[in-house]
């Protein structure tokens, strides 16, 4: 709970300070800091969803709902889809987070959809759309209890989370009426967009962008261990502590019950066992600007995988690749 208290105090302190100063010299700094703190709150709610925040399931649910609803994430809806992601990580068809497009599905997309998925900054704004409509080739909504994402016995949980999300929307609407649209835009809306960009940035790079192409699996070639070893650790410099070491991701995928404050320790213990299958992350400067280049390169080359084969790798659409176009 100390991490929750720390983050909530920082969030409230930043908002109070920015509102008091109310200077256009300060607002951009506030947006960057508060958006990052929203992302930190999400990570703690993520731990609640895994049950690694507390051994008490009710406490996980209460804290998870408060944290995620505050940043417009439906707690149970996302928790359940994220569970599907972990249970099927690295599987071409069954994974639920940034899974690759098959060549057939990729070719069926119109030009604008391809541009939105692979051209910056649009992929870094995908999360709200994913909550409402999932990824290309998949149907359902994180808010709809009848969605294919959920089992019949999970409907009450989804309804509870959707109601909590709607309550937060109501609170934000009331604050907008009292404080004015411009003040709420500056205090909440812009940080929310920064949070979304952090979420998409980090989660994408958990599974993309290594200098060596990583495999995706189908059929008998897939296993929980093989899928987990396709994930990547990333170093975010000073941000590591702020977002609770979520970049230490390989061990999290193999053992999601490990609390975030033990991830670094567990990774160090696992490295000798994983051997060549562990990919050491590039060391970051205080701020992880180096990862922007990794992101851009991956979006420019990791477009689709073959429709056939049980071990496949990303391929590049040379018609849309900017590197190919620039060399013409």
């Amino acid at each position: 709970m100390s991490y929750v208290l720390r983050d909530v105090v920082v969030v409230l302190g930043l908002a109070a300070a920015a509102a008091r100063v109310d200077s256009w010299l300060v607002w951009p700094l506030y947006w960057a800091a508060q958006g990052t703190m929203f992302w930190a709150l999400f990570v703690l709610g993520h731990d609640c969803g895994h049950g690694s925040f507390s051994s008490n399931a009710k406490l996980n649910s209460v804290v998870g709902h408060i944290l995620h609803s505050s940043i417009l994430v439906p707690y149970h809806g996302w928790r359940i889809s994220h569970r599907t992601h972990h249970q099927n990580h690295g599987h071409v068809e069954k994974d639920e987070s940034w899974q690759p497009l098959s060549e057939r599905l990729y070719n069926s997309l119109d030009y604008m959809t391809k541009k939105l998925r692979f051209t910056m900054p649009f992929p870094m704004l995908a999360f709200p759309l994913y909550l409402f409509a999932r990824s290309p080739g998949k149907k359902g909504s994180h808010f709809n209890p009848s969605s294919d994402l959920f089992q019949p016995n999970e409907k009450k949980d989804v309804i509870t989370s959707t109601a909590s999300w709607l309550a937060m929307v109501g609170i934000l609407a009331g604050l907008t009426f009292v404080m004015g649209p411009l003040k709420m835009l500056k205090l909440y809306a812009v940080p929310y967009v920064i949070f979304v960009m952090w979420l998409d940035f980090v989660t994408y790079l958990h599974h993309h962008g290594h200098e060596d192409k990583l495999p995706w699996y189908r059929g008998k070639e897939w296993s929980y261990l093989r899928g987990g070893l396709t994930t990547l650790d990333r170093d975010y410099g000073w941000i590591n502590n702020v977002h609770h070491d979520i970049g230490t991701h390989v061990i999290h995928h193999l053992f999601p019950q490990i609390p975030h404050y033990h991830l670094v320790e567990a990774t160090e213990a696992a490295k000798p066992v994983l051997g060549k299958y562990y990919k050491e992350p590039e060391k970051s400067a205080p701020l992880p600007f180096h990862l922007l280049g990794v992101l851009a390169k991956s979006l420019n080359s990791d477009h689709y995988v073959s429709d056939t084969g049980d071990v496949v790798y990303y391929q590049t659409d040379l018609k849309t690749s900017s590197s190919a176009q620039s060399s013409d």
Side-chain angles (χ1 to χ4, degrees), residues 147-287:
S147 170
D148 292 342
L149 277 166
F150 312 121
Q151 299 298 318
N153 64 348
E154 295 170 331
K155 285 188 175 183
K156 288 184 179 179
D157 286 342
V158 177
I159 292 171
T160 299
S161 294
T162 299
S164 299
W165 185 90
L166 289 171
M168 184 61 192
V169 171
I171 291 171
L172 292 173
L175 290 172
T176 301
F177 179 78
V178 172
M179 303 174 66
L182 181 59
K183 181 61 70 71
M184 283 301 292
L185 177 72
K186 292 187 290 186
L187 281 173
Y188 187 90
V190 177
Y192 172 78
V193 173
I194 300 298
F195 147 64
V196 167
M197 296 180 75
W198 263 118
L199 187 153
D200 285 324
F201 177 64
V202 172
T203 56
Y204 181 90
L205 289 176
H206 282 161
H207 304 280
H208 297 79
H210 194 265
E211 57 187 6
D212 299 322
K213 291 286 187 179
L214 297 176
W216 288 80
Y217 300 103
R218 294 186 178 100
K220 294 182 179 180
E221 290 295 332
W222 181 88
S223 70
Y224 183 85
L225 178 59
R226 292 186 102 184
L229 291 176
T230 66
T231 61
L232 296 166
D233 281 2
R234 299 290 187 184
D235 183 14
Y236 292 89
W238 288 344
I239 308 298
N240 286 333
N241 182 58
V242 177
H243 69 187
H244 307 292
D245 290 312
I246 193 64
T248 310
H249 207 64
V250 176
I251 202 70
H252 168 65
H253 261 266
L254 296 176
F255 305 100
Q257 69 273 22
I258 297 177
H260 68 84
Y261 44 84
H262 287 316
L263 289 175
V264 174
E265 175 188 1
T267 297
E268 291 302 316
K271 281 182 183 180
V273 178
L274 297 177
K276 66 178 183 179
Y277 296 104
Y278 178 77
K279 302 159 189 67
E280 196 74 40
E282 180 182 353
K283 191 69 176 175
S284 177
L287 295 176

Side-chain angles (χ1 to χ4, degrees), residues 3 11 86 104 117 160 213 289 303 317:
Y3 293 98
V11 166
H86 270 262
R104 183 184 299 107
R117 184 174 173 94
T160 299
K213 291 286 187 179
F289 291 119
H303 293 153
D317 180 358

